[in-house]
Amino acid sequence: MGRRKKMVERVKTLMKNPENVRNIGIVAHIDHGKTTLSDNLLAGAGMISNELAGKQLFMDSDEEEQERGITIDSSNVSMVHEYDDNEYLINLIDTPGHVDFGGDVTRAMRAVDGAVVVIDAVEGTMPQTETVLRQALKEHVKPVLFINKVDRLINELQVDSQEMQIRLGKLIDHVNKLIKGMNEEKYKAGWKVDASEGTVAFGSALYNWAISVPMMKKTQISFNDVYEYCKQEDMKTLAEKCPLHEAVNDMVIYFLPSPIDAQEGRVNTIWHGDVSTEIGHAMMKADASAPIAFMVTDISMDPHAGEVATGRLFSGTLSRGMEVSVSGTAQKNRIQQVGVFMGPERIEVENIPAGNIAAVTGLKDAVVGSTVTTMEGMTPFESIRHASEPVVTVAVEAKHMRDLPKLVEVLRQVSKEDPTLKITLDEETGEHLMAGMGELHLEVIAHRIRRDKGVEISTTPPIVVYRETIQGTAGPVEGKSPNRHNRFYIEVEPLDKEIVAAIKEGEISMDMPELERREKLMEKGMSKEEAKGITEIHESNIFIDVTKGIQHLNETMELILEGFEEVMKGGPLSREPCMGVKVRLVDAKLHEDAIHRGPAQVIPASRQAIQAAMLMANDTLMEPYQKLFIQVPQEQMGGATKEIQGRRGIILDMVSEGDMTTISSKVPVAEMFGFAGDIRSATEGRSMWSTEFLGFEPLPASLINEIVSSIRERKGLKKDLPQPSDFISA
């Protein structure tokens, strides 16, 4: 305990000097060695024993993570490292690699300034490596590279010293190619990784050794020496001479920015307020004496303290008892405790200054992405955009009726902890629907509800979430209110793909200043009149008011938009969410008397006009696709390709290296259930595979009727396909 106490004291002292703080994330494809690497860094800092490093998996504190051998939640730890006779504080976040938990990576990227990208020397850059690199660059987070499992190249693949260096060189070139393709400006500004400069380290996290060019100069050990030690399987000597934590932490401290350097460039990317204001200046400088600007990136439950909000403090100093405002809520919240994470444990401290990652209790109104501040009217931070969308749903029911109220509360908590999870109550069937990133994601959440929250639940087999969209244009369609006194004239058409992409990327939103939004939309090809008339953006659908001089329309607009949102959450064809729909209000006739244009009149009129117009505009379904990568020996290739084609998959590319072939393909999510078992038997267990979210594509026309009918039947709707006349009377 003495050692830990000392560590906490050093952390408390160092956090006050942002020059000596580094906030970093460890990111990679699944099974490339992130958590094993984190173990080594912790051992180097004296937090766990050297013997256990790499085996203990300290950051995977949840028993399910240990059982499955994968990281499910991001976990934070603060540790101290000495470099050039100076002490530095490293706040580290170990992130998951599995595609189903990619949301955790996106959120962690908002809290950190630098990322250690880990790559398996044998497997090379994999799909998830690309995804995490893209997330890092989008959030303005600087990458350095750690190439792991170098010993496998030597001992398993039997490559010679020359071949090893060629292979590693190719890997580095490929990563640089990715960085250049994703953000050329940053690449030119010196963000490319370069072994000769020292922004690349090579090693083996399992055997606790690593080497980089600066480390070679320090230890006088060359690449050939490393090769010889590995060949003789003398990893112990290598680990003593070139300890992994020293090589990686030195690289982190020397090459990754401190909060002061990082925030100057990052604030513009993640905050759209005026940089010349007091709070803008304070965030650029990481000023600890300024008002508070805290961004919540994670919410977890502590059985004793309740909800713990973890996030990045950009300005000000957090201390207990403070009153703060949470963006989007009216009442103030009072901070009860502030602390830092040491893996699974949270250590309380008196206060935490700007530039650190803090864990706070008492923010009951905060959700992931909230801005917490002491300043009135502060512009909130940009919302966090996830790379993937929920595509698989299960219905959840409490096994015992007495648990129903508890289940509702538990689902509310779970969706607060994990914003990539969407919980909805299907009012027709009374089921709670839980939509997530994939089968594993939902399986883990269901297990946690049973284990941690103590609620016995049963779940249905997973089903796919489709999206509704339109292929043509329609309108004006007249929607009448039940009392016939109000009429709305609606036109619909597909929204331009470029604009849909910009909305999803967060480039265009309703939070932006109107002028900026109008210019962005006109750049993407929208007419000035339409860009000016945008009144609502819901997911990737927009509502445009192009009417002129209609009395009372302003007071009624909120109700019209409620009707619009209802349809966008569940379209007319099969009550699935809509995407890429542009709705225009072209005219309206409203009753003089406010009593005759209340919610019961306006909402159904606007809703039914949009529903009928969408059906007239050839409403169809889009299905989610995943990109599927399979690495398989040549002789098993037939089994793998047959598996892809039998699932309506399309092969995009095949690359052979040695006796291994990598097949890239795209497959509908609906056909991917049970894939793990089938591919194992088709290739005699000799294939490795991974997926990433690819987006939505139109459902083949031959399947539409069958799928729409089955969805409608499941949701308790009439089985026949709906007609426009079902929604509007002549």
Side-chain angles (χ1 to χ4, degrees), residues 3-213:
R3 192 162 70 168
R4 280 273 319 286
K5 243 187 174 156
K6 248 199 215 139
M7 176 62 110
V8 172
E9 287 313 312
R10 286 159 77 195
V11 167
K12 283 182 188 172
T13 316
L14 284 169
M15 64 168 61
K16 295 183 173 59
N17 178 9
E19 283 289 348
N20 284 19
V21 173
R22 298 289 181 275
N23 297 308
I24 65 162
I26 294 194
V27 295
H29 187 81
I30 188 165
D31 277 345
H32 279 198
K34 294 174 297 301
T35 306
T36 316
L37 171 67
S38 305
D39 261 16
N40 275 290
L41 301 183
L42 293 172
M47 290 176 71
I48 60 175
S49 79
N50 280 328
E51 287 71 47
L52 287 175
K55 300 173 193 71
Q56 183 174 347
L57 303 180
F58 180 76
M59 302 295 264
D60 286 352
S61 51
D62 186 277
E63 64 188 60
E64 187 161 4
E65 294 183 308
Q66 290 172 354
E67 263 174 45
R68 290 179 183 270
I70 59 170
T71 304
I72 292 170
D73 299 315
S74 293
S75 46
N76 303 27
V77 69
S78 298
M79 58 187 183
V80 179
H81 179 68
E82 266 183 50
Y83 177 72
D84 275 359
D85 302 328
N86 259 334
E87 284 199 330
Y88 289 82
L89 172 64
I90 296 177
N91 295 319
L92 175 141
I93 302 183
D94 177 30
T95 65
H98 194 287
V99 64
D100 280 15
F101 308 107
D104 268 56
V105 185
T106 312
R107 298 192 288 279
M109 286 300 111
R110 181 60 62 93
V112 299
D113 305 315
V116 178
V117 180
V118 183
I119 293 182
D120 182 324
V122 178
E123 289 182 11
T125 47
M126 296 287 276
Q128 201 60 14
T129 319
E130 285 187 40
T131 309
V132 294
L133 247 179
R134 188 174 291 113
Q135 286 166 324
L137 292 170
K138 203 165 112 191
E139 286 285 346
H140 212 87
V141 168
K142 186 176 181 180
V144 291
L145 188 61
F146 175 65
I147 299 181
N148 191 18
K149 308 190 187 182
V150 172
D151 56 298
R152 280 186 65 195
L153 269 185
I154 301 164
N155 296 342
E156 284 179 32
L157 298 191
Q158 304 283 326
V159 300
D160 60 29
S161 172
Q162 192 64 34
E163 168 76 356
M164 173 173 99
Q165 295 191 35
I166 292 169
R167 275 185 176 236
L168 296 175
K170 274 188 186 164
L171 266 183
I172 298 168
D173 289 345
H174 189 219
V175 171
N176 280 326
K177 197 169 143 196
L178 290 175
I179 295 174
K180 190 176 182 181
M182 290 168 193
N183 193 331
E184 195 156 347
E185 193 185 315
K186 286 268 166 276
Y187 177 82
K188 285 179 178 160
W191 280 35
K192 68 180 239 184
V193 291
D194 186 342
S196 59
E197 262 187 28
T199 45
V200 182
F202 311 90
S204 165
L206 187 62
Y207 295 111
N208 314 1
W209 64 268
I211 193 93
S212 62
V213 170

Side-chain angles (χ1 to χ4, degrees), residues 621-687:
L621 286 185
M622 306 278 276
E623 63 176 339
Y625 268 76
Q626 279 177 331
K627 210 166 180 185
L628 171 66
F629 299 84
I630 305 178
Q631 278 188 321
V632 63
Q634 300 248 323
E635 66 267 23
Q636 303 292 345
M637 211 172 80
T641 50
K642 205 164 156 195
E643 218 25 77
I644 294 168
Q645 285 155 347
R647 294 172 182 269
R648 290 200 285 123
I650 296 165
I651 292 172
L652 305 171
D653 193 15
M654 279 191 186
V655 181
S656 294
E657 197 175 306
D659 64 342
M660 290 296 274
T661 302
T662 304
I663 308 169
S664 310
S665 58
K666 60 177 189 181
V667 184
V669 173
E671 305 286 340
M672 283 294 287
F673 297 130
F675 179 73
D678 293 350
I679 189 75
R680 209 173 292 135
S681 44
T683 59
E684 295 174 14
R686 293 181 62 197
S687 59

Side-chain angles (χ1 to χ4, degrees), residues 480-487 589-592 596-597 601:
K480 303 188 194 87
S481 60
N483 63 10
R484 309 256 162 178
H485 291 319
N486 307 282
R487 291 164 192 247
K589 294 189 173 82
L590 295 169
H591 197 279
E592 284 293 306
H596 291 303
R597 46 183 161 81
Q601 304 300 330

Side-chain angles (χ1 to χ4, degrees), residues 310-367:
T310 309
R312 172 64 179 269
L313 182 59
F314 286 92
S315 82
T317 300
L318 288 169
S319 48
R320 71 179 77 153
M322 278 181 123
E323 282 213 333
V324 291
S325 310
V326 176
S327 57
T329 58
Q331 70 257 45
K332 299 258 174 144
N333 285 200
R334 187 181 290 278
I335 292 176
Q336 286 162 359
Q337 299 171 338
V338 289
V340 293
F341 268 108
M342 295 287 191
E345 284 180 77
R346 191 165 42 88
I347 310 287
E348 269 191 70
V349 295
E350 283 303 308
N351 45 46
I352 294 184
N356 284 285
I357 296 173
V360 183
T361 61
L363 301 177
K364 58 180 186 301
D365 292 333
V367 293

Side-chain angles (χ1 to χ4, degrees), residues 208-363:
N208 314 1
W209 64 268
I211 193 93
S212 62
V213 170
M215 194 76 175
M216 288 178 187
K217 288 175 184 159
K218 200 159 137 186
T219 58
Q220 301 301 309
I221 284 192
S222 70
F223 247 123
N224 288 337
D225 299 336
V226 169
Y227 184 80
E228 287 311 316
Y229 279 121
C230 285
K231 213 60 189 142
Q232 290 153 19
E233 301 208 0
D234 184 4
M235 302 291 184
K236 209 160 182 187
T237 314
L238 198 49
E240 280 162 20
K241 293 192 173 182
C242 308
L244 179 136
H245 72 272
E246 205 175 306
V248 174
N249 283 342
D250 285 1
M251 176 169 77
V252 161
I253 285 159
Y254 191 77
F255 291 102
L256 294 182
S258 71
I260 293 180
D261 298 334
Q263 286 182 202
E264 204 165 319
R266 283 194 75 201
V267 168
N268 280 335
T269 314
I270 58 176
W271 185 67
H272 280 319
D274 182 355
V275 189
S276 59
T277 54
E278 178 197 1
I279 195 83
H281 271 302
M283 288 198 288
M284 299 281 253
K285 300 274 175 288
D287 184 350
S289 57
I292 279 178
F294 177 66
M295 166 94 191
V296 179
T297 59
D298 190 46
I299 286 184
S300 52
M301 288 302 294
D302 182 316
H304 310 296
E307 281 177 15
V308 182
T310 309
R312 172 64 179 269
L313 182 59
F314 286 92
S315 82
T317 300
L318 288 169
S319 48
R320 71 179 77 153
M322 278 181 123
E323 282 213 333
V324 291
S325 310
V326 176
S327 57
T329 58
Q331 70 257 45
K332 299 258 174 144
N333 285 200
R334 187 181 290 278
I335 292 176
Q336 286 162 359
Q337 299 171 338
V338 289
V340 293
F341 268 108
M342 295 287 191
E345 284 180 77
R346 191 165 42 88
I347 310 287
E348 269 191 70
V349 295
E350 283 303 308
N351 45 46
I352 294 184
N356 284 285
I357 296 173
V360 183
T361 61
L363 301 177

